[in-house]
mmCIF file with all atom_site columns, all heavy atoms in Angstrom:
data_model
loop_
_atom_site.group_PDB
_atom_site.id
_atom_site.type_symbol
_atom_site.label_atom_id
_atom_site.label_alt_id
_atom_site.label_comp_id
_atom_site.label_asym_id
_atom_site.label_entity_id
_atom_site.label_seq_id
_atom_site.pdbx_PDB_ins_code
_atom_site.Cartn_x
_atom_site.Cartn_y
_atom_site.Cartn_z
_atom_site.occupancy
_atom_site.B_iso_or_equiv
_atom_site.pdbx_formal_charge
_atom_site.auth_seq_id
_atom_site.auth_comp_id
_atom_site.auth_asym_id
_atom_site.auth_atom_id
_atom_site.pdbx_PDB_model_num
ATOM 1   N N   . SER A 1 313 ? -47.195 -8.788  54.491 1.00 0.00 ? 324 SER A N   1
ATOM 2   C CA  . SER A 1 313 ? -46.797 -7.584  55.207 1.00 0.00 ? 324 SER A CA  1
ATOM 3   C C   . SER A 1 313 ? -47.219 -7.649  56.677 1.00 0.00 ? 324 SER A C   1
ATOM 4   O O   . SER A 1 313 ? -48.383 -7.922  56.994 1.00 0.00 ? 324 SER A O   1
ATOM 5   C CB  . SER A 1 313 ? -47.424 -6.352  54.548 1.00 0.00 ? 324 SER A CB  1
ATOM 6   O OG  . SER A 1 313 ? -47.111 -5.181  55.258 1.00 0.00 ? 324 SER A OG  1
ATOM 7   N N   . SER A 1 314 ? -46.267 -7.435  57.573 1.00 0.00 ? 325 SER A N   1
ATOM 8   C CA  . SER A 1 314 ? -46.485 -7.405  59.028 1.00 0.00 ? 325 SER A CA  1
ATOM 9   C C   . SER A 1 314 ? -46.915 -8.751  59.605 1.00 0.00 ? 325 SER A C   1
ATOM 10  O O   . SER A 1 314 ? -47.414 -8.809  60.730 1.00 0.00 ? 325 SER A O   1
ATOM 11  C CB  . SER A 1 314 ? -47.526 -6.333  59.396 1.00 0.00 ? 325 SER A CB  1
ATOM 12  O OG  . SER A 1 314 ? -47.084 -5.043  59.009 1.00 0.00 ? 325 SER A OG  1
ATOM 13  N N   . LEU A 1 315 ? -46.739 -9.840  58.868 1.00 0.00 ? 326 LEU A N   1
ATOM 14  C CA  . LEU A 1 315 ? -46.981 -11.171 59.426 1.00 0.00 ? 326 LEU A CA  1
ATOM 15  C C   . LEU A 1 315 ? -45.926 -11.461 60.492 1.00 0.00 ? 326 LEU A C   1
ATOM 16  O O   . LEU A 1 315 ? -44.734 -11.285 60.259 1.00 0.00 ? 326 LEU A O   1
ATOM 17  C CB  . LEU A 1 315 ? -46.917 -12.227 58.319 1.00 0.00 ? 326 LEU A CB  1
ATOM 18  C CG  . LEU A 1 315 ? -46.838 -13.688 58.778 1.00 0.00 ? 326 LEU A CG  1
ATOM 19  C CD1 . LEU A 1 315 ? -48.119 -14.091 59.502 1.00 0.00 ? 326 LEU A CD1 1
ATOM 20  C CD2 . LEU A 1 315 ? -46.571 -14.612 57.591 1.00 0.00 ? 326 LEU A CD2 1
ATOM 21  N N   . VAL A 1 316 ? -46.378 -11.931 61.658 1.00 0.00 ? 327 VAL A N   1
ATOM 22  C CA  . VAL A 1 316 ? -45.461 -12.250 62.763 1.00 0.00 ? 327 VAL A CA  1
ATOM 23  C C   . VAL A 1 316 ? -45.678 -13.706 63.147 1.00 0.00 ? 327 VAL A C   1
ATOM 24  O O   . VAL A 1 316 ? -46.809 -14.136 63.383 1.00 0.00 ? 327 VAL A O   1
ATOM 25  C CB  . VAL A 1 316 ? -45.726 -11.340 63.982 1.00 0.00 ? 327 VAL A CB  1
ATOM 26  C CG1 . VAL A 1 316 ? -44.815 -11.738 65.140 1.00 0.00 ? 327 VAL A CG1 1
ATOM 27  C CG2 . VAL A 1 316 ? -45.496 -9.876  63.608 1.00 0.00 ? 327 VAL A CG2 1
ATOM 28  N N   . TYR A 1 317 ? -44.587 -14.465 63.206 1.00 0.00 ? 328 TYR A N   1
ATOM 29  C CA  . TYR A 1 317 ? -44.661 -15.849 63.668 1.00 0.00 ? 328 TYR A CA  1
ATOM 30  C C   . TYR A 1 317 ? -43.450 -16.126 64.546 1.00 0.00 ? 328 TYR A C   1
ATOM 31  O O   . TYR A 1 317 ? -42.365 -15.585 64.343 1.00 0.00 ? 328 TYR A O   1
ATOM 32  C CB  . TYR A 1 317 ? -44.715 -16.835 62.491 1.00 0.00 ? 328 TYR A CB  1
ATOM 33  C CG  . TYR A 1 317 ? -43.710 -16.589 61.388 1.00 0.00 ? 328 TYR A CG  1
ATOM 34  C CD1 . TYR A 1 317 ? -42.444 -17.145 61.441 1.00 0.00 ? 328 TYR A CD1 1
ATOM 35  C CD2 . TYR A 1 317 ? -44.044 -15.799 60.287 1.00 0.00 ? 328 TYR A CD2 1
ATOM 36  C CE1 . TYR A 1 317 ? -41.520 -16.914 60.430 1.00 0.00 ? 328 TYR A CE1 1
ATOM 37  C CE2 . TYR A 1 317 ? -43.138 -15.558 59.272 1.00 0.00 ? 328 TYR A CE2 1
ATOM 38  C CZ  . TYR A 1 317 ? -41.884 -16.119 59.346 1.00 0.00 ? 328 TYR A CZ  1
ATOM 39  O OH  . TYR A 1 317 ? -40.974 -15.882 58.347 1.00 0.00 ? 328 TYR A OH  1
ATOM 40  N N   . THR A 1 318 ? -43.677 -16.967 65.552 1.00 0.00 ? 329 THR A N   1
ATOM 41  C CA  . THR A 1 318 ? -42.605 -17.294 66.488 1.00 0.00 ? 329 THR A CA  1
ATOM 42  C C   . THR A 1 318 ? -41.737 -18.433 65.963 1.00 0.00 ? 329 THR A C   1
ATOM 43  O O   . THR A 1 318 ? -40.516 -18.372 66.002 1.00 0.00 ? 329 THR A O   1
ATOM 44  C CB  . THR A 1 318 ? -43.196 -17.685 67.855 1.00 0.00 ? 329 THR A CB  1
ATOM 45  O OG1 . THR A 1 318 ? -44.015 -16.613 68.334 1.00 0.00 ? 329 THR A OG1 1
ATOM 46  C CG2 . THR A 1 318 ? -42.094 -17.972 68.860 1.00 0.00 ? 329 THR A CG2 1
ATOM 47  N N   . THR A 1 319 ? -42.395 -19.481 65.449 1.00 0.00 ? 330 THR A N   1
ATOM 48  C CA  . THR A 1 319 ? -41.685 -20.660 64.957 1.00 0.00 ? 330 THR A CA  1
ATOM 49  C C   . THR A 1 319 ? -42.153 -20.966 63.543 1.00 0.00 ? 330 THR A C   1
ATOM 50  O O   . THR A 1 319 ? -43.360 -20.966 63.266 1.00 0.00 ? 330 THR A O   1
ATOM 51  C CB  . THR A 1 319 ? -41.953 -21.874 65.858 1.00 0.00 ? 330 THR A CB  1
ATOM 52  O OG1 . THR A 1 319 ? -41.558 -21.565 67.198 1.00 0.00 ? 330 THR A OG1 1
ATOM 53  C CG2 . THR A 1 319 ? -41.179 -23.094 65.375 1.00 0.00 ? 330 THR A CG2 1
ATOM 54  N N   . LEU A 1 320 ? -41.194 -21.225 62.649 1.00 0.00 ? 331 LEU A N   1
ATOM 55  C CA  . LEU A 1 320 ? -41.496 -21.614 61.280 1.00 0.00 ? 331 LEU A CA  1
ATOM 56  C C   . LEU A 1 320 ? -40.999 -23.034 61.069 1.00 0.00 ? 331 LEU A C   1
ATOM 57  O O   . LEU A 1 320 ? -39.826 -23.334 61.271 1.00 0.00 ? 331 LEU A O   1
ATOM 58  C CB  . LEU A 1 320 ? -40.816 -20.670 60.286 1.00 0.00 ? 331 LEU A CB  1
ATOM 59  C CG  . LEU A 1 320 ? -41.035 -20.960 58.801 1.00 0.00 ? 331 LEU A CG  1
ATOM 60  C CD1 . LEU A 1 320 ? -42.509 -20.846 58.436 1.00 0.00 ? 331 LEU A CD1 1
ATOM 61  C CD2 . LEU A 1 320 ? -40.205 -20.012 57.935 1.00 0.00 ? 331 LEU A CD2 1
ATOM 62  N N   . THR A 1 321 ? -41.926 -23.904 60.682 1.00 0.00 ? 332 THR A N   1
ATOM 63  C CA  . THR A 1 321 ? -41.589 -25.308 60.488 1.00 0.00 ? 332 THR A CA  1
ATOM 64  C C   . THR A 1 321 ? -42.278 -25.810 59.223 1.00 0.00 ? 332 THR A C   1
ATOM 65  O O   . THR A 1 321 ? -43.295 -25.226 58.806 1.00 0.00 ? 332 THR A O   1
ATOM 66  C CB  . THR A 1 321 ? -42.025 -26.134 61.738 1.00 0.00 ? 332 THR A CB  1
ATOM 67  O OG1 . THR A 1 321 ? -41.545 -27.454 61.648 1.00 0.00 ? 332 THR A OG1 1
ATOM 68  C CG2 . THR A 1 321 ? -43.538 -26.131 61.886 1.00 0.00 ? 332 THR A CG2 1
ATOM 69  N N   . PRO A 1 322 ? -41.750 -26.866 58.566 1.00 0.00 ? 333 PRO A N   1
ATOM 70  C CA  . PRO A 1 322 ? -40.508 -27.582 58.870 1.00 0.00 ? 333 PRO A CA  1
ATOM 71  C C   . PRO A 1 322 ? -39.284 -26.742 58.533 1.00 0.00 ? 333 PRO A C   1
ATOM 72  O O   . PRO A 1 322 ? -39.377 -25.785 57.764 1.00 0.00 ? 333 PRO A O   1
ATOM 73  C CB  . PRO A 1 322 ? -40.602 -28.821 57.966 1.00 0.00 ? 333 PRO A CB  1
ATOM 74  C CG  . PRO A 1 322 ? -41.423 -28.361 56.802 1.00 0.00 ? 333 PRO A CG  1
ATOM 75  C CD  . PRO A 1 322 ? -42.433 -27.416 57.358 1.00 0.00 ? 333 PRO A CD  1
ATOM 76  N N   . HIS A 1 323 ? -38.154 -27.122 59.135 1.00 0.00 ? 334 HIS A N   1
ATOM 77  C CA  . HIS A 1 323 ? -36.929 -26.371 58.880 1.00 0.00 ? 334 HIS A CA  1
ATOM 78  C C   . HIS A 1 323 ? -36.464 -26.643 57.453 1.00 0.00 ? 334 HIS A C   1
ATOM 79  O O   . HIS A 1 323 ? -36.184 -27.775 57.080 1.00 0.00 ? 334 HIS A O   1
ATOM 80  C CB  . HIS A 1 323 ? -35.843 -26.769 59.871 1.00 0.00 ? 334 HIS A CB  1
ATOM 81  C CG  . HIS A 1 323 ? -34.615 -25.925 59.755 1.00 0.00 ? 334 HIS A CG  1
ATOM 82  N ND1 . HIS A 1 323 ? -34.557 -24.629 60.221 1.00 0.00 ? 334 HIS A ND1 1
ATOM 83  C CD2 . HIS A 1 323 ? -33.401 -26.190 59.218 1.00 0.00 ? 334 HIS A CD2 1
ATOM 84  C CE1 . HIS A 1 323 ? -33.362 -24.135 59.970 1.00 0.00 ? 334 HIS A CE1 1
ATOM 85  N NE2 . HIS A 1 323 ? -32.635 -25.062 59.372 1.00 0.00 ? 334 HIS A NE2 1
ATOM 86  N N   . GLU A 1 324 ? -36.421 -25.592 56.664 1.00 0.00 ? 335 GLU A N   1
ATOM 87  C CA  . GLU A 1 324 ? -36.019 -25.692 55.259 1.00 0.00 ? 335 GLU A CA  1
ATOM 88  C C   . GLU A 1 324 ? -34.852 -24.757 54.999 1.00 0.00 ? 335 GLU A C   1
ATOM 89  O O   . GLU A 1 324 ? -34.699 -23.737 55.689 1.00 0.00 ? 335 GLU A O   1
ATOM 90  C CB  . GLU A 1 324 ? -37.195 -25.302 54.345 1.00 0.00 ? 335 GLU A CB  1
ATOM 91  C CG  . GLU A 1 324 ? -38.403 -26.211 54.426 1.00 0.00 ? 335 GLU A CG  1
ATOM 92  C CD  . GLU A 1 324 ? -38.247 -27.439 53.541 1.00 0.00 ? 335 GLU A CD  1
ATOM 93  O OE1 . GLU A 1 324 ? -37.214 -27.537 52.852 1.00 0.00 ? 335 GLU A OE1 1
ATOM 94  O OE2 . GLU A 1 324 ? -39.162 -28.287 53.535 1.00 0.00 ? 335 GLU A OE2 1
ATOM 95  N N   . PRO A 1 325 ? -34.002 -25.077 54.001 1.00 0.00 ? 336 PRO A N   1
ATOM 96  C CA  . PRO A 1 325 ? -32.936 -24.147 53.634 1.00 0.00 ? 336 PRO A CA  1
ATOM 97  C C   . PRO A 1 325 ? -33.520 -22.807 53.192 1.00 0.00 ? 336 PRO A C   1
ATOM 98  O O   . PRO A 1 325 ? -34.651 -22.735 52.690 1.00 0.00 ? 336 PRO A O   1
ATOM 99  C CB  . PRO A 1 325 ? -32.229 -24.860 52.477 1.00 0.00 ? 336 PRO A CB  1
ATOM 100 C CG  . PRO A 1 325 ? -32.600 -26.297 52.615 1.00 0.00 ? 336 PRO A CG  1
ATOM 101 C CD  . PRO A 1 325 ? -33.973 -26.325 53.205 1.00 0.00 ? 336 PRO A CD  1
#
Side-chain angles (χ1 to χ4, degrees):
S324 177
S325 299
L326 167 65
V327 177
Y328 47 88
T329 303
T330 302
L331 180 62
T332 188
H334 186 75
E335 296 277 358

